[in-house]
Amino acid sequence: MVPATQNRLLELLDSVRSEFEQLTQDAIICKTQRDEFEMKMNSQIQEMGQIQQSLLDLERSQQVMKKHYEEEINRLRQQLEQVTMKKDNHGQHVPPPSYINGYSQPPPQQQQTPSPAPPALDANPSSAQHPVYTNGLPPAGSPSGPHTAPPPPLSGSPYANGSPQTSVAPQRPSPLNVKSETTSFAEMDPESIPANWKVEGQDWFALFNPKVPRYLKVDLLHSFDHSSVVCCVKFSANGRYLAAGCNQSTYIYDTTSGSRVAVLQDEHASRDTDLYIRSVSFSPDGKYLATGAEDKQIRIWDISKNRIRHVLRGHEQDIYSLEFSREGNFLVSGSGDRTVKIWDWLEGRILHTLRINDQDQKDPGVTSVAISPDGRLVAAGSLDKVVRVWDAHNGQPLERLEGHKDSVYSVAFMPDGMTLISGSLDKTLRLWQLGAKGNSTRQVFNGHKDFVLSVATTPDGQWIVSGSKDRGVQFWDPHTGQTQFMLQGHKNSVISVATSPASRRPMFATGSGDNRARIWTFEPLQQPLHS
């Protein structure tokens, strides 16, 4: 028999063992819970860290945005101060700081020795006579200075058969037949302009010139954002579509709905480097679109099938300008290789090569081409400051128009058949009288504060439109030479302007270095407004 005392001891040991096992299990449970709590705590710490980082990133973003808005406010304040300053000894104001690709740059500095850099988007600004446009803006380049071509103008025509179209605006004075120079509307203090002569949208505004009767109203119709600079814009002949050329791609939009209807992108083109579409032009029937790019090739797109029908090769440098003839039987191109080529685009062959062989011109690269409505004339602007006109049928030179003090970046025919408009890096536009004896300049338009990059005319010839590196668009009255209104609707250079050839609704489009293309409407007031 086991003594009672021993039995009691065994019971106590069993009890201790049970308690120990229970405590062990509790310890394991506690450890598991502790690990879970630690994991949750670590997760929460990480989340807090991410939230803190997000807050820091948001704060930095707000600081950058604040700085941007402060710079923009300062820039506008400087402009307001400058327009109220007295003129300098040359009768002009010192322009405000220019903005290239969104960054503030000092005004262009003239150098004694021009840079010999060829046309290129990545030219070195420090060696340029003017600031170099990059990321799809008009490039610089050639022996006499780093200027190159932007996109195309909208053509009208000299020597055109038939009478001009009916004006969309109230009747205005007849054109002046004498050479004159305009007074800059930009010199006025915006605060002095009456309230009913100002129009303001969410991110744009227009100032009408109180010195002349107000005939128009203007409004924003559509805005299209892109991932790169918009180098060129052009309407189809019926005004139904707008094409916008960007890096690697061309976008086509419905002008009524604002919807995107096509994206044209060459699948065989390299994606490793930039390939900006510098110019576009619709065929008259709207079925095809010609695009000119930096790879020296012209692509003819079948829009409905979203594929390339022809590739035209022959230029030795970038294609800066394209235009179909009104009948669609030929296509004209301008390039930095100092030539204008006239193409039978259906057959893919060159009909004429118009060369600039002037020995005294160091920098005759072609920046812009235009065709008269009757298809008999081809005009071209070039880096050597000259506007030239050829016979489109035989390629013979007809006119040499001199007067600009810097490279000509854009040309467009007026539909009256007698005049041509040009825009230049000298900040002016010129109206040329074709066939005139002696000085062909009929009028000089002053008002932009920086390079004039693109010009166009309305179908009725009542208005001239210009886009500038000063970020502004101006509507000019060719009859008086005065600005009708000045539009600020972009945050970077206005590289391209175009007007709708169709009369169903007056529209114009703008393409800018701020990666945006916009369609605007301009309509006549029922009664002219007088200040």
Side-chain angles (χ1 to χ4, degrees):
M1 292 180 63
V2 179
T5 304
Q6 188 176 359
N7 289 337
R8 180 61 180 165
L9 181 60
L10 291 173
E11 290 175 359
L12 291 174
L13 288 174
D14 289 338
S15 176
V16 170
R17 185 184 300 110
S18 298
E19 291 181 4
F20 177 77
E21 290 175 353
Q22 183 64 41
L23 290 174
T24 301
Q25 291 178 359
D26 292 343
I28 293 173
I29 293 173
C30 290
K31 184 177 182 300
T32 303
Q33 291 177 343
R34 184 198 66 185
D35 292 342
E36 291 177 353
F37 285 134
E38 286 181 351
M39 290 178 61
K40 291 181 179 179
M41 184 174 64
N42 291 334
S43 176
Q44 290 177 349
I45 291 173
Q46 290 178 356
E47 290 178 0
M48 290 177 63
Q50 292 175 352
I51 293 172
Q52 186 176 8
Q53 184 63 41
S54 298
L55 291 174
L56 291 174
D57 293 341
L58 180 60
E59 184 178 358
R60 293 192 191 99
S61 175
Q62 290 176 338
Q63 290 175 350
V64 171
M65 188 178 298
K66 179 182 177 182
K67 182 178 179 182
H68 171 75
Y69 282 123
E70 287 177 347
E71 290 177 350
E72 187 73 10
I73 291 171
N74 290 334
R75 182 185 69 82
L76 293 174
R77 185 179 292 113
Q78 289 174 1
Q79 286 185 340
L80 289 174
E81 292 174 353
Q82 287 169 349
V83 296
T84 57
M85 291 172 60
K86 293 182 179 179
K87 295 181 179 179
D88 61 10
N89 293 333
H90 300 286
Q92 297 178 350
H93 290 301
V94 179
S98 305
Y99 281 72
I100 302 177
N101 303 328
Y103 296 96
S104 177
Q105 300 288 340
Q109 300 294 323
Q110 301 290 336
Q111 295 184 359
Q112 297 296 328
T113 305
S115 167
L121 287 175
D122 56 354
N124 181 8
S126 63
S127 64
Q129 183 179 3
H130 296 288
V132 180
Y133 294 84
T134 57
N135 297 336
L137 291 177
S142 79
S144 69
H147 312 319
T148 47
L154 188 71
S155 70
S157 105
Y159 304 111
N161 296 323
S163 59
Q165 302 178 23
T166 304
S167 170
V168 299
Q171 185 63 38
R172 304 202 306 278
S174 59
L176 300 176
N177 293 319
V178 295
K179 174 184 172 184
S180 64
E181 295 196 7
T182 59
T183 303
S184 174
F185 165 48
E187 295 173 358
M188 296 187 61
D189 180 3
E191 296 299 326
S192 66
I193 298 177
N196 58 345
W197 291 67
K198 304 175 186 177
V199 180
E200 187 173 3
Q202 182 177 359
D203 58 354
W204 63 273
F205 66 89
L207 301 177
F208 285 81
N209 187 356
K211 295 182 179 180
V212 299
R214 177 180 169 183
Y215 293 98
L216 298 175
K217 54 184 177 180
V218 62
D219 201 0
L220 176 64
L221 182 61
H222 298 299
S223 188
F224 310 109
D225 291 324
H226 304 85
S227 59
S228 78
V229 168
V230 179
C231 299
C232 52
V233 290
K234 184 67 77 74
F235 286 96
S236 60
N238 59 7
R240 182 178 177 182
Y241 299 110
L242 178 78
C246 300
N247 188 15
Q248 300 280 355
S249 303
T250 302
Y251 302 89
I252 300 179
Y253 300 95
D254 186 300
T255 59
T256 301
S257 65
S259 61
R260 180 184 295 177
V261 298
V263 179
L264 308 179
Q265 189 173 52
D266 189 348
E267 297 178 356
H268 302 291
S270 172
R271 298 289 185 271
D272 297 333
T273 58
D274 290 337
L275 182 63
Y276 286 94
I277 310 303
R278 305 308 302 276
S279 59
V280 293
S281 182
F282 282 96
S283 62
D285 59 10
K287 295 181 179 179
Y288 301 98
L289 184 77
T291 62
E294 297 175 316
D295 60 359
K296 312 172 189 177
Q297 299 182 40
I298 301 169
R299 295 170 175 83
I300 309 295
W301 294 83
D302 185 323
I303 298 174
S304 64
K305 297 179 181 179
N306 203 342
R307 70 182 185 185
I308 298 173
R309 174 168 177 172
H310 296 299
V311 176
L312 308 181
R313 299 179 177 88
H315 280 295
E316 298 176 0
Q317 289 190 27
D318 301 3
I319 311 297
Y320 291 142
S321 186
L322 291 172
E323 184 132 321
F324 276 102
S325 63
R326 182 165 291 188
E327 299 300 322
N329 55 330
F330 66 90
L331 176 74
V332 173
S333 60
S335 168
D337 63 8
R338 308 182 179 190
T339 68
V340 174
K341 293 185 184 293
I342 302 176
W343 304 80
D344 180 338
W345 62 277
L346 288 170
E347 299 294 331
R349 62 189 179 95
I350 300 173
L351 300 176
H352 298 288
T353 297
L354 315 178
R355 299 185 183 276
I356 301 177
N357 295 319
D358 302 31
Q359 298 299 322
D360 59 334
Q361 300 297 332
K362 298 180 181 179
D363 193 7
V366 176
T367 62
S368 178
V369 296
I371 308 172
S372 61
D374 59 11
R376 293 197 306 112
L377 302 174
V378 172
S382 60
L383 299 176
D384 62 1
K385 314 173 189 178
V386 180
V387 177
R388 294 173 174 85
V389 181
W390 291 270
D391 186 305
H393 295 160
N394 58 29
Q396 294 300 310
L398 299 176
E399 301 258 4
R400 178 188 171 95
L401 309 175
E402 299 183 72
H404 279 297
K405 299 177 182 178
D406 209 332
S407 300
V408 178
Y409 258 43
S410 187
V411 293
F413 278 105
M414 296 288 288
D416 63 1
M418 298 298 296
T419 47
L420 186 71
I421 190 71
S422 60
S424 168
L425 300 192
D426 65 10
K427 308 177 187 178
T428 71
L429 292 79
R430 282 182 180 256
L431 193 67
W432 306 92
Q433 184 71 48
L434 298 180
K437 295 181 180 180
N439 192 337
S440 301
T441 300
R442 196 170 87 182
Q443 197 143 197
V444 179
F445 301 83
N446 292 294
H448 280 295
K449 297 179 180 179
D450 215 322
F451 306 154
V452 178
L453 302 177
S454 184
V455 297
T457 67
T458 55
D460 56 13
Q462 294 294 322
W463 304 104
I464 294 169
V465 188
S466 60
S468 169
K469 184 172 167 287
D470 63 13
R471 306 181 178 191
V473 174
Q474 293 200 37
F475 256 58
W476 306 86
D477 185 342
H479 309 134
T480 64
Q482 293 292 330
T483 301
Q484 171 72 188
F485 67 81
M486 179 170 53
L487 171 69
Q488 287 283 335
H490 288 282
K491 300 187 187 312
N492 209 316
S493 303
V494 179
I495 307 171
S496 180
V497 295
T499 57
S500 173
S503 58
R504 62 191 182 97
R505 186 174 190 183
M507 294 183 293
F508 68 98
T510 53
S512 170
D514 65 4
N515 300 0
R516 180 175 287 176
R518 289 186 146 180
I519 299 177
W520 310 80
T521 60
F522 65 100
E523 297 177 295
L525 297 173
Q526 293 184 353
Q527 294 293 331
L529 181 64
H530 297 270
S531 58

